[in-house]
Amino acid sequence: MLEIFYPDYEVESAYEIDYENLYNKGFRGVIFDIDNTLVPHGAPADQRAIALFSRLRKAGYRTVLLSNNKEPRVKLFHDGVGSEYIFKAGKPGRAGYERAMKLMGTVPSNTIFVGDQLFTDIWGAKKAGITTWLVKPIHPKEEIQIILKRRLEWVVLFFYHRKCKRAIENPERKQRT
């Protein structure tokens, strides 16, 4: 039951993903959440984000910022990185992810999603058939509704990490998903 929320991959930061290697494996589009995935909530693009999007363009990627925020907030970040964007995306609904892939000219099999929340970011991308990367939130300051969701995420992540640990300890044993 909880597996529907499990990410495909989990890393500390969106900035440590080996995007070039993923490109070599056939991925062509990256959909990003913004707040607490790339910068703290409400912050404009910083030098690290600007460098990442430049690196992605150089590698050949198309990118889309997918946010449930209103346009002024999303445009503020967009102005720094120059990526396509979708505001009021309605995550975890599939429509925003599908619209993002249409903008990039990609399909689920060659698209990845990077975000910091299980119940909006990861669940929505998984419903759309996209490979997911869960990152740790950049900053502890969050809105109250997100704080409440984080408590539930801890439960899901406890079981996810336990499953991952069993898979490492018993690689010959088939895991049920």
Side-chain angles (χ1 to χ4, degrees), residues 11-147:
V11 292
E12 287 292 317
S13 166
Y15 297 99
E16 71 178 40
I17 298 170
D18 187 349
Y19 297 101
E20 289 78 9
N21 183 44
L22 292 170
Y23 191 88
N24 291 336
K25 290 181 178 181
F27 290 96
R28 296 298 180 259
V30 185
I31 304 170
F32 286 101
D33 175 53
I34 302 170
D35 287 325
N36 246 352
T37 296
L38 295 167
V39 293
H41 275 278
D46 58 16
Q47 288 304 311
R48 186 166 71 156
I50 293 166
L52 173 62
F53 280 81
S54 175
R55 182 176 133 210
L56 292 170
R57 275 191 292 281
K58 185 177 177 187
Y61 277 107
R62 299 284 311 268
T63 60
V64 172
L65 306 169
L66 189 68
S67 177
N68 285 344
N69 275 303
K70 295 177 183 171
E71 187 172 21
R73 191 292 170 259
V74 181
K75 187 173 182 329
L76 173 70
F77 188 86
H78 152 83
D79 289 346
V81 298
S83 176
E84 299 267 6
Y85 66 91
I86 298 170
F87 61 96
K88 290 189 178 179
K91 296 183 290 185
R94 291 173 50 156
Y97 298 89
E98 291 168 349
R99 188 168 157 217
M101 288 186 285
K102 187 173 182 177
L103 281 172
M104 295 185 297
T106 62
V107 295
S109 63
N110 68 357
T111 304
I112 66 171
F113 178 85
V114 181
D116 70 301
Q117 292 187 53
L118 289 179
F119 301 134
T120 50
D121 298 333
I122 300 303
W123 187 30
K126 288 182 71 83
K127 288 193 296 185
I130 299 168
T131 300
T132 59
W133 291 79
L134 176 68
V135 300
K136 295 214 183 327
I138 288 178
H139 195 273
K141 182 179 182 279
E142 296 184 297
E143 298 167 347
I144 188 65
Q145 70 271 18
I146 296 172
I147 292 169

